[in-house]
Amino acid sequence: MFFVGACVVGTFVLTAFLGSDAFTREQDASTRERDMSSVACRQPAPGSAVREPQDLRSHDGVLRVDLAITDQKQADGSTRYCYLTPDGARSPTLRLKPGDLLILRFKNNLIDFSSTAPGADAARPVDPKSLELKSFDLKRIDLNPNDPNSWPICTSKKLSDPCAGGAMTAISSNLHFHGMTVPPVCHQDDVLKTSIQPDDPPFEYRLRVPTDAAPGLYWYHPHIHGYSKAQVLGGAYGALIVEGLERANPAIAGLPERVLMIGDQELLNPDAPPSKSEPTISKSLIDRDGDAGNSGTGFGKPAKDLSINQVPVPYPDYTPASITMKTGQRELWRVVNASAITYLNLALLFRQAPQRLGVVAIDGVPINFNGSPSAPIIWVNHLGVPPGGRIEFIVEGPPLGVPALLVTRTVDTGPDGENDPNRALASIITTADAPETLARLPSSPEPLPPAALPWVGNVAPTRVRKLYFSEQPRDPNDPNSPTAFFITVDGQPPKPFDMNSDVPDIVVKQGDVEDWIIENRTAELHDFHIHQLHFELVDWSGLAVHEPFLRDTVNVPYFNGRMLQYPSVRLRMDFRDPNIVGTFVYHCHILEHEDGGMMGRIRVEPANTVVVRTELSNQDLKGGPRDAR
């Protein structure tokens, strides 16, 4: 714990110490921030044009960002969340180059609306005393936070230490830099201990992009255990791009690029009947967690609405947002599935006919990166993207006058899964004079240097581990009670993730390559994700697959109750990067599952450390159905 002074005589001592102009600027900034927060989390109307987030680019090797998370209560009682810069820009795209330093001052401005009546004014009141406290920044006035004698004569307010593993509540927050291979430590990419409270001063994230980082699309979002779903579902997310994708793939050099964040949210029209254009189906099922269950038809009420760059596309009519392109122009689309629970199956339709999409990167990594034997472009007509996943692909604008739609097709999430039906996302409008996109890839790239390490798919694994997803009602005597979710190392008893424990579920050594078999013993899809590193999918339920590219998220197919063995994926896990030494997590990226306990802790020891292993026998690897909790 440490203390920050709060002067008891109004602004007199603080003004004298900071100077009246400085205090006025801080006060004006705080007032402006509160005024913006009362409107900034509002969404555009359905059918609006899709606008790209503001780009913030590094200069001279450094990107400095001030970012605040704020919330706004809606008339229906739900809460929207958003990230704001001091000038009111929402969820900016952070653009860095390999080797750059990101310095991000993060302020938690969340307010607990749990006791506020629906429809009440959600604007934050301006309290002069709170302004005094929040304007007093030790770093800016060069005080020594460890020397109380250097502080002005004030009363004291005890503040939490955001790095000390304090409480994680509905109004706590932090940042996870999803997909980045950076150290899992406080002030970089730790989510186990870092918890920033609304009364805390701005918290500084300071992380350096590795010089050999994969160029591609990453994203940032809150990772407060137990509350990640609420904040991400409410709209707290933004893109992060490591520049240089064209260096890995000269075929995309010079293309305009477009950043699209597809998120989900609570239904805007939960009581509306289905659209008359949909076929009649049986009444929608509701799962134990209150979401619309999988109808198995591709139609029916979805579990969540979707939005594209915050423009909602709500049930039941799915009025699409609009994207304007130049006629016939090729673009690079960089798409994040920022959904809390919704799977995407993207397709681009011209007059209802699916078009070719040229995939060049998955989960932030070029598909031909670091010695991968993959072709530089893979042409497909639809793209499955799990929650948390990213996909970067070439599209070509339709001819003038040809109706075109970006859609997501239905995803079969299993008997116990949520309903992800067919629906439109955006209509593509082409004109000869469409505005330019915010960014364009360089046209004359320098090639990337050759890979320093062998392609991970060619490295024999040092060991094999098996983990499995399972779930059960929280009250075993009540099958309709909310669900408890688990991810378990085979041979250990299922248990929900414990934030208060420091004991790792898995210990590995930096420099090793391992194979992990992830089984799904449940009747719904799960979405495996691990922090700090990427992996190659090498096997799908016992069948070898040829996917010589890297991911950090992957679907694990569901168990239908009739299979002779549980569905599984086999992943080649790459622990060779020295930046990942430390303790971090793996989990299902369906965030209600993660919040509900489906997360584990892994510790990567330095390369010269002796690690005790638990090997799997051939019998262990057979994977027949046993206890499917």
Side-chain angles (χ1 to χ4, degrees):
M1 295 292 184
F2 59 97
F3 294 86
V4 167
C7 303
V8 295
V9 288
T11 61
F12 176 74
V13 176
L14 195 58
T15 302
F17 199 87
L18 289 173
S20 59
D21 290 343
F23 180 65
T24 300
R25 286 195 300 271
E26 290 285 346
Q27 191 174 35
D28 288 346
S30 297
T31 304
R32 185 171 63 252
E33 189 175 72
R34 282 170 169 72
D35 290 342
M36 288 189 303
S37 70
S38 68
V39 297
C41 293
R42 293 179 187 170
Q43 293 181 292
S48 296
V50 173
R51 300 184 182 278
E52 290 185 82
Q54 182 187 66
D55 278 341
L56 298 181
R57 295 178 178 270
S58 62
H59 297 281
D60 299 322
V62 179
L63 174 58
R64 299 179 184 272
V65 179
D66 284 338
L67 196 70
I69 185 171
T70 189
D71 51 353
Q72 180 188 8
K73 193 165 187 179
Q74 307 300 295
D76 63 0
S78 65
T79 302
R80 295 295 301 167
Y81 294 81
C82 58
Y83 292 122
L84 295 175
T85 62
D87 62 359
R90 180 172 176 175
S91 298
T93 298
L94 310 181
R95 290 182 175 266
L96 299 117
K97 298 175 182 176
D100 280 353
L101 178 66
L102 172 64
I103 302 174
L104 190 154
R105 282 168 37 100
F106 179 69
K107 184 69 182 73
N108 182 348
N109 281 339
L110 297 180
I111 284 182
D112 184 1
F113 290 122
S114 60
S115 60
T116 305
D121 183 8
R124 293 152 172 74
V126 179
D127 178 355
K129 291 186 178 179
S130 69
L131 288 177
E132 290 170 25
L133 286 173
K134 294 186 179 183
S135 67
F136 187 74
D137 184 355
L138 296 178
K139 291 184 180 178
R140 292 192 64 179
I141 56 178
D142 298 322
L143 295 181
N144 181 353
N146 300 311
D147 180 11
N149 293 323
S150 71
W151 304 348
I153 302 172
C154 303
T155 59
S156 295
K157 175 178 177 59
K158 183 180 285 189
L159 297 180
S160 63
D161 179 356
C163 293
M168 291 194 176
T169 71
I171 55 171
S172 306
S173 200
N174 59 16
L175 286 176
H176 169 47
F177 299 94
H178 184 123
M180 296 291 287
T181 304
V182 294
V185 298
C186 194
H187 297 283
Q188 294 199 54
D189 192 35
D190 163 67
V191 299
L192 287 166
K193 301 290 186 182
T194 305
S195 182
I196 302 156
Q197 311 306 324
D199 284 336
D200 290 342
F203 180 85
E204 186 172 278
Y205 283 94
R206 181 181 287 258
L207 56 93
R208 188 172 294 280
V209 180
T211 55
D212 59 353
L217 178 62
Y218 303 84
W219 65 303
Y220 57 93
H221 63 83
H223 208 294
I224 288 290
H225 186 57
Y227 304 95
S228 295
K229 174 191 169 184
Q231 294 185 19
V232 173
L233 190 69
Y237 45 76
L240 188 155
I241 292 174
V242 175
E243 304 279 23
L245 186 58
E246 73 287 346
R247 299 180 63 195
N249 189 342
I252 62 173
L255 288 185
E257 50 180 306
R258 193 181 297 269
V259 176
L260 300 174
M261 304 287 296
I262 300 176
D264 58 7
Q265 63 186 72
E266 298 296 353
L267 297 179
L268 293 179
N269 307 306
D271 300 322
S275 169
K276 293 180 180 179
S277 64
E278 283 202 358
T280 301
I281 63 170
S282 60
K283 186 177 179 180
S284 295
L285 301 173
I286 302 297
D287 67 16
R288 290 198 299 260
D289 301 294
D291 293 319
N294 181 19
S295 71
T297 66
F299 298 97
K301 181 186 295 186
K304 305 294 178 192
D305 278 336
L306 289 173
S307 67
I308 180 166
N309 286 6
Q310 302 296 340
V311 179
V313 188
Y315 166 84
D317 295 325
Y318 305 125
T319 302
S322 65
I323 294 174
T324 302
M325 299 177 63
K326 284 186 166 62
T327 305
Q329 177 171 269
R330 276 193 165 195
E331 294 183 357
L332 176 71
W333 284 13
R334 318 185 90 157
V335 177
V336 179
N337 184 356
S339 299
I341 71 166
T342 303
Y343 288 85
L344 298 176
N345 186 5
L346 300 174
L348 183 63
L349 308 180
F350 292 1
R351 298 192 194 278
Q352 301 186 350
Q355 302 299 301
R356 292 199 320 159
L357 306 172
V359 178
V360 297
I362 295 173
D363 288 352
V365 183
I367 58 175
N368 61 334
F369 183 68
N370 261 6
S372 162
S374 172
I377 305 174
I378 298 175
W379 293 95
V380 296
N381 63 12
H382 67 101
L383 300 164
V385 192
R390 287 89 65 216
I391 193 85
E392 298 172 79
F393 54 95
I394 301 167
V395 302
E396 186 171 312
L400 191 65
V402 172
L405 279 177
L406 175 66
V407 303
T408 180
R409 296 172 171 176
T410 185
V411 176
D412 180 8
T413 61
D416 290 350
E418 286 80 19
N419 202 33
D420 289 350
N422 298 294
R423 45 190 149 167
L425 292 172
S427 58
I428 314 301
I429 302 166
T430 53
T431 67
D433 57 351
E436 296 289 337
T437 58
L438 287 184
R440 182 182 287 267
L441 297 166
S443 56
S444 301
E446 256 187 58
L448 288 173
L453 295 172
W455 168 244
V456 66
N458 295 335
V459 177
T462 55
R463 63 198 53 81
V464 179
R465 304 179 192 269
K466 185 162 72 176
L467 298 82
Y468 63 91
F469 290 118
S470 63
E471 56 190 60
Q472 66 182 25
R474 290 189 182 277
D475 180 355
N477 298 317
D478 179 5
N480 295 316
S481 67
T483 308
F485 299 96
F486 315 102
I487 182 169
T488 307
V489 177
D490 198 39
Q492 298 178 5
K495 63 182 188 302
F497 183 75
D498 181 4
M499 281 299 296
N500 297 316
S501 172
D502 288 325
V503 178
D505 299 283
I506 294 174
V507 179
V508 304
K509 186 170 66 173
Q510 183 267 318
D512 284 354
V513 171
E514 299 190 351
D515 272 12
W516 286 17
I517 298 169
I518 316 293
E519 281 185 350
N520 188 350
R521 301 182 183 181
T522 80
E524 65 176 314
L525 280 183
H526 291 295
D527 175 17
F528 178 79
H529 168 61
I530 188 167
H531 290 204
Q532 319 313 131
L533 62 112
H534 286 72
F535 48 78
E536 181 191 12
L537 174 65
V538 297
D539 179 293
W540 183 271
S541 287
L543 299 175
V545 298
H546 180 64
E547 289 194 357
F549 40 80
L550 298 180
R551 305 171 179 265
D552 61 37
T553 56
V554 67
N555 287 336
V556 187
Y558 63 83
F559 179 59
N560 67 10
R562 302 184 302 275
M563 299 170 174
L564 297 180
Q565 64 180 21
Y566 293 118
S568 65
V569 295
R570 185 173 182 137
L571 311 175
R572 186 68 44 86
M573 310 292 291
D574 191 352
F575 296 102
R576 292 177 296 175
D577 197 305
N579 281 308
I580 68 173
V581 169
T583 302
F584 48 94
V585 294
Y586 52 87
H587 57 85
C588 177
H589 214 284
I590 298 175
L591 296 185
E592 70 181 9
H593 298 177
E594 174 199 316
D595 286 342
M598 197 171 263
M599 186 157 69
R601 182 182 279 101
I602 180 172
R603 186 170 70 227
V604 177
E605 300 280 11
N608 57 0
T609 303
V610 176
V611 176
V612 178
R613 311 288 184 191
T614 301
E615 304 292 342
L616 292 178
S617 67
N618 290 333
Q619 183 64 33
D620 290 329
L621 297 180
K622 290 182 179 178
R626 289 175 289 180
D627 176 10
R629 284 187 298 169

